Amino acid sequence: MRNMTLILLAGLLLLPACGLLQHSLWRPETLVPVETDRAHAVSMIHLCAKQGYKGQTFGSLPESKNSQCQPRGRGQECAVLLVYPEDRYFSFVDARSYSAMVQAKTLFNVSVDSAGNIKQCRAETE
């Protein structure tokens, strides 16, 4: 019984931390998209996922010129929207399928410290 109580207590303590890590991406209504090619977008997505931008100065990224930032903690959270052409494959239950060129959109949220250096990057593709 005591072990079950400890497990429940640990779960309750960790639940808020999970929520903080999983907060949804911030998307300003008036965010101006950055048009690019697929290769550049994929490179940025991979670097973001691997935290390859960590420690870099946010202002040194060309895409930062089209970003919007808001205060967050001791720094800022900045949003960047990339749009790029991408082939997508669509299939249906009745075995029909087709591919089409679509305009993909990837939203980046970048946490920046008070010195302007990137602390964290998250991306979500539509």
Side-chain angles (χ1 to χ4, degrees), residues 36-39 83-90 98-105:
T36 189
D37 60 37
R38 185 180 188 290
V83 293
Y84 52 95
E86 181 174 77
D87 279 325
R88 296 239 175 116
Y89 182 77
F90 302 91
Y98 68 96
S99 63
M101 181 70 72
V102 298
Q103 186 174 33
K105 297 177 184 176

Side-chain angles (χ1 to χ4, degrees), residues 38-55:
R38 185 180 188 290
H40 181 70
V42 168
S43 171
M44 284 188 67
I45 293 166
H46 287 300
L47 273 171
C48 181
K50 293 179 181 178
Q51 297 302 319
Y53 289 116
K54 192 171 186 173

Side-chain angles (χ1 to χ4, degrees), residues 5-17:
T5 305
L6 289 175
I7 291 171
L8 282 171
L9 183 59
L12 288 173
L13 291 173
L14 291 175
L15 192 60

